[in-house]
Amino acid sequence: PGTRKYTGMVEDCCCDYETVDAINEEVLHPILQELVTLPFFRYFKVKLWCDCPFWPDDGMCRLRDCSVCECPENEFPEPFKKPYSGLSPDSMICQEGKPQATVDRTLDAKVFKGWIETDNPWTYDDETDNVAEKNIISAEMTYVNLQLNPERYTGYTGDSARRIWDSVYKENCPKYPSEEMCQEKKVLYKLISGLHSSISVHIAYDYLLDESANLWGHNLPLLYDRVLKYPERVQNLYFTYLFVLRAVTKAADYLEQAEYNTGNPEEDLKTQSLVKQLLYNPKLRSACPLPFDEAKLWQGENGPELKQEIQKQFRNISAIMDCVGCEKCRLWGKLQVLGLGTALKILFSVDGENHLNQSLQLQRNEVIALVNLLNRLSESVNFVHEKGPSIEDVIKQQ
Ligand code: FAD
């Protein structure tokens, strides 16, 4: 067995590499792997045919495998088809003058109030207040069974893919030069770089090794060339994993109370139980109680302006996902950026206050994206941990 290359604390986080690998392997990875196969988490709502707001679509996908198969109407869960049940009309009416108004709302332990349509200031959605436009957008959305459309090698390369990554890095989160850049901008860069590493790891994990024989398998040289050779890319992968994990555990009350109803009581009970195991796992809680400390950010004088600036940059990154010229890459790009946007929303809650429980409201699709993103990152950490040391040894011997 090879020797461990990464030791000590994950940069800017609160857990060390050994602990992350251990809790991921023993606890989180097995739970997440099962969770994402259950009906609630396997259907993602997405608008795949989108107009790129920045340049003409120049789809460059070599493999047929690049396209996504959408779910037929009868496949996805019945409750997902209904309009959001949302808040009961009563809870939306001003409580003033009613007996309930005397109750201190800070003691309200019920934080989940039904799935609702709610804006996310961190992501680019087709925002419109016009009801007719809302209906058109909603008609263009389809459900995709994520289990049938795994993130893997698609043959999407060349100028089109390069242009997306270039604009994400150059326009929105230029690589931080030494210590000049503030902590918050560094976080945005690291989240994007960590996601990029994870996408590369999935390409290496599930690669078309022989096209004529349709033989798929691991491409370890690719894993090394694109990720392992650059320690910073590995560090950013671990950082992003811990950041998203912190968001999930911070929203524990909300996620525990959320409705995981898909019309299949047996599967839904399993979903609820696995969510609880994920949120309140004693091993995780004792080994890595605070995977990332968000309270350290936005403390400077210009915190609010800085947050708005970074929010705008992240929204741009989210909009650029509509320009990804391969359907399957666009699906996973959109899902994972929505997952990151959801983590940002949870950690730096909507109004910037720390009263998370009072203001947090998530859409069903945001929760689906968040958990699937955590699973993808967990898979990447697992693969890097498993294969990293042995590849490094082979390279050293060459
Ligand atoms: P790229 O991965 O395109 O990298 C471009 C440049 O970015 C590199 O030269 C380097 O300077 C820098 N860079 C690379 N990694 C990092 C990092 N972790 N941190 C910081 N900087 C970095 N292809 C598939 O086969 N399957 C997919 O599912 C898929 N999904 C994609 C999703 C999105 C959103 C995008 C934009 C692309 C996707 N692609 C996918 C394409 C894939 O990411 C690569 O762009 C493609 O394989 C070409 O790789 P490359 O070697 O040219 O380097």
Side-chain angles (χ1 to χ4, degrees), residues 67-86:
S67 60
V68 167
C69 52
E70 293 161 14
C71 291
E73 269 273 325
N74 62 354
E75 192 194 317
F76 59 87
E78 204 55 43
F80 284 25
K81 293 181 198 168
K82 295 190 190 113
Y84 279 112
S85 54

Side-chain angles (χ1 to χ4, degrees), residues 148-165:
L148 299 180
N149 298 280
E151 187 187 26
R152 44 146 68 164
Y153 171 72
T154 61
Y156 178 51
T157 51
D159 291 347
S160 173
R162 179 54 66 102
R163 180 159 58 177
I164 306 279
W165 287 122

Side-chain angles (χ1 to χ4, degrees), residues 29-40:
H29 186 254
I31 295 175
L32 286 162
Q33 289 281 292
E34 194 178 349
L35 201 51
V36 296
T37 63
L38 294 167
F40 184 88

Side-chain angles (χ1 to χ4, degrees), residues 152 154 156 162 165 169 193 196-197 203 226 233 329:
R152 44 146 68 164
T154 61
Y156 178 51
R162 179 54 66 102
W165 287 122
Y169 286 115
S193 167
H196 193 168
S197 300
I203 296 173
R226 295 213 192 163
R233 296 184 188 175
C329 312

